[in-house]
Amino acid sequence: MYRAHLNAALALLAATLFTSGTAYAQVCSTGADGTITVGSTATRVNVYYPAPDPTAGATTLAAGATSIPIDAGLGGQALNLQAGLNTNIGAGDVLLVVQMQGAGIDTNDNQTDTGDYGDGPGLLEQAGSLNNADYTVGAYEFVIATGPTSGGNIPIQGQGASNGLLNNYSNSNVITANTGFRRYQVIKVPQFADLTVTGEIVSDRWNGRWGGISALNVRNNMNLDGGSFNADGRGFRGGQFYPSRSTAADNGNTANFGFKGEGIAGVPQRMFSKTLLAETPATGGEETGPIGYPGTDNTGPLSTWTRDTGQGAAGNAGSGGGGEEDAGGGGGGNFGRGGGGGQGVNVNSEGIGGANFPEHFAATPDRLVMGGGGGASNGDDIGALDLTVSSGQAGGGIVFVRSSNIVTTTTGTISANGDAGGNAPTEGGGGGGAGGSVVVHTNSSTVNGINFSAAGGRGGSSDLALDGGGGGGGGGVVILSDTTAGSAIFDLSGGAAGTGLSGGLYNGTAGAAGSQLSVDNNASSVPEFDCDFVN
């Protein structure tokens, strides 16, 4: 009965607003999903709605749009969803719309240490161009559904023009000289009255079309009673170690064999993620797909592989190792830049670390991304562990929490760490994944007793002489909005460098630390992030 009255009221409100053109402030949570205790591990609270199939054509959403296309054939993705939550969309539901990928980069020479693939203005050596007109990634907003999905479209009410979307969004497999794959997704966000977490809330891992984000709203109290939010390694995927691409017999150009990590600018053809190892059926952590990075192919055998391998760091993704063999991959980046890999058999073959945001944009909560994936080592042998530790590692995902009050009966954890590599027995080490992003908005609450973490992952190390260690992943970001830290603990450290047995230039470098930010939305609203708590 309560839900029916609520939906009727929201529908009336939407009709009034659309007629008047008056902007509105969203209510943080109606409490329509009731009082819930999450007591199990690996529990999801979100349902993911991918954008339409990009192989069928590009989808573009303009600011002001009041309907969002999704993939009707896939529907809502809801693995291990918390009991009591509805997978369908209805009037009054809160949705999060996010541009997951979309950044233009310079793509001239993507393989060598002197190339400028990924460069932006200001001589940011292979650091990834984030400051240009093609940069749309990280835009997001919370909207209200005004009815159920119909014909593959979700009707919504937003805070933009004519009560539509604030931002533009795009979903495309079209590749140009400077832009790669673009992706948006829609996420259903639960509206709890009260929430207790004694278990573990996770997102789906990012798989190229959906996942990577946990988000929830709580009207009254959220109690982290020994529980956790875990987005570790659920962000952009690492580049895969692929030894059959590591000899001159495969390609006359031997400087291009480590796969770049995945990041804001696109997708390599071969990726790796530790979270895959626990999935059924077992995959060994490997994923393949069409090339999704920008640029034009080089000539020669297997030329279609040459955009997504080598030493250019694409956006916040770490580059692969270059040279003949065994160079360490670069670490992924986020708010801290990724560390570089150690050299292999050839000099100047080390992987390049992914870009960091503060070099390009003001640190505010209106643009947030997942941690970049680390790049892979290049090599021509494979041992029992080489695929796991010579591949780049996945970055951390994103956690959104909006709750009037947050308490901790004992202690709690909110983490979005990048994955770390181990020791490679016969090859160089892969780059660590970057820390992700955590954002918490409350009604002037103090978050005592919570451990926040968005640390970069350690680069993989090498146990063989003349092989390079991987670069550490950069640290991510934790943002507290209208919230006091109190006795909370923060870990935004960059990942440690992977080491090479020969030391010196064979060692990788550590990722740079990320940032903890506090913002006052009461004084200066960020409409994408802010909302009104009601009593």
Side-chain angles (χ1 to χ4, degrees):
M1 182 65 70
Y2 171 73
R3 180 65 181 253
H5 287 309
L6 169 68
N7 291 344
L10 283 169
L12 177 61
L13 173 62
T16 302
L17 291 173
F18 284 132
T19 301
S20 66
T22 303
Y24 74 100
Q26 288 185 3
V27 172
C28 291
S29 176
T30 63
D33 288 306
T35 296
I36 294 286
T37 295
V38 175
S40 301
T41 60
T43 300
R44 276 75 163 174
V45 296
N46 298 110
V47 183
Y48 303 91
Y49 292 85
D53 182 356
T55 63
T59 302
T60 301
L61 278 171
T66 57
S67 180
I68 304 175
I70 60 168
D71 191 328
L74 285 175
Q77 299 296 308
L79 180 67
N80 296 333
L81 188 67
Q82 168 69 29
L85 296 180
N86 190 341
T87 60
N88 298 321
I89 292 175
D93 284 334
V94 174
L95 308 173
L96 175 60
V97 190
V98 189
Q99 185 72 43
M100 304 299 292
Q101 289 175 308
I105 58 175
D106 189 325
T107 56
N108 181 32
D109 184 1
N110 62 322
Q111 297 171 349
T112 68
D113 67 305
T114 57
D116 57 4
Y117 186 93
D119 275 5
L123 301 177
L124 301 172
E125 181 185 358
Q126 292 143 306
S129 178
L130 308 184
N131 189 13
N132 58 60
D134 293 320
Y135 182 76
T136 60
V137 67
Y140 73 93
E141 59 195 280
F142 291 87
V143 300
I144 305 296
T146 57
T149 301
S150 177
N153 289 275
I154 305 171
I156 62 99
Q157 172 183 292
Q159 298 184 78
S162 301
N163 301 115
L165 293 173
L166 279 166
N167 304 305
N168 300 316
Y169 298 93
S170 60
N171 180 65
S172 172
N173 279 8
V174 175
I175 292 176
T176 72
N178 300 105
T179 60
F181 283 6
R182 296 167 180 267
R183 293 287 184 268
Y184 73 79
Q185 67 173 323
V186 180
I187 304 170
K188 184 178 178 182
V189 181
Q191 302 184 74
F192 298 120
D194 292 278
L195 173 67
T196 299
V197 184
T198 59
E200 178 191 47
I201 293 175
V202 301
S203 69
D204 275 9
R205 67 174 184 85
W206 171 249
N207 64 10
R209 293 190 65 187
W210 71 84
I213 296 176
S214 289
L216 56 81
N217 293 347
V218 184
R219 180 183 176 94
N220 301 312
N221 296 307
M222 184 183 81
N223 182 4
L224 276 179
D225 187 8
S228 66
F229 289 79
N230 181 358
D232 298 350
R234 294 178 178 269
F236 290 124
R237 295 160 289 185
Q240 189 187 134
F241 174 75
Y242 192 61
S244 65
R245 280 284 295 160
S246 301
T247 66
D250 289 318
N251 191 323
N253 179 0
T254 60
N256 65 342
F257 299 123
F259 277 91
K260 306 177 193 298
E262 181 187 26
I264 60 174
V267 187
Q269 291 177 82
R270 288 189 172 268
M271 292 160 287
F272 177 85
S273 176
K274 285 182 178 178
T275 59
L276 276 172
L277 296 174
E279 292 188 358
T280 302
T283 62
E286 304 171 70
E287 287 187 275
T288 61
I291 185 169
Y293 268 132
T296 55
D297 294 326
N298 295 354
T299 59
L302 301 176
S303 62
T304 56
W305 297 58
T306 58
R307 292 185 211 154
D308 50 3
T309 58
Q311 289 178 279
N316 67 338
S319 88
E324 185 175 348
E325 59 176 307
D326 303 340
N334 188 352
F335 262 58
R337 185 170 179 174
Q343 77 168 50
V345 172
N346 290 0
V347 297
N348 301 323
S349 57
E350 63 277 358
I352 311 293
N356 62 317
F357 273 42
E359 287 187 25
H360 309 272
F361 291 97
T364 65
D366 61 350
R367 192 184 290 269
L368 297 163
V369 302
M370 302 185 297
S377 170
N378 58 339
D380 57 359
D381 304 314
I382 186 164
L385 296 176
D386 282 335
L387 178 63
T388 301
V389 299
S390 293
S391 292
Q393 305 299 319
I398 299 176
V399 178
F400 285 95
V401 174
R402 303 196 298 184
S403 178
S404 180
N405 187 45
I406 295 179
V407 297
T408 49
T409 301
T410 53
T411 186
T413 301
I414 301 179
S415 66
N417 299 319
D419 279 343
N423 287 1
T426 66
E427 301 298 329
S437 302
V438 175
V439 283
V440 173
H441 177 55
T442 73
N443 190 17
S444 301
S445 181
T446 300
V447 287
N448 290 320
I450 297 180
N451 296 308
F452 292 95
S453 183
R458 179 183 183 275
S461 292
S462 175
D463 290 337
L464 200 65
L466 306 184
D467 292 354
V477 64
V478 174
I479 300 174
L480 300 183
S481 168
D482 299 342
T483 302
T484 302
S487 61
I489 297 173
F490 300 91
D491 182 3
L492 288 307
S493 58
T499 58
L501 185 64
S502 299
L505 295 177
Y506 297 93
N507 292 331
T509 59
S515 302
Q516 191 275 304
L517 308 175
S518 294
V519 296
D520 183 0
N521 271 324
N522 291 321
S524 178
S525 176
V526 179
E528 295 91 337
F529 187 60
D530 202 7
C531 59
D532 290 337
F533 292 101
V534 293
N535 297 315

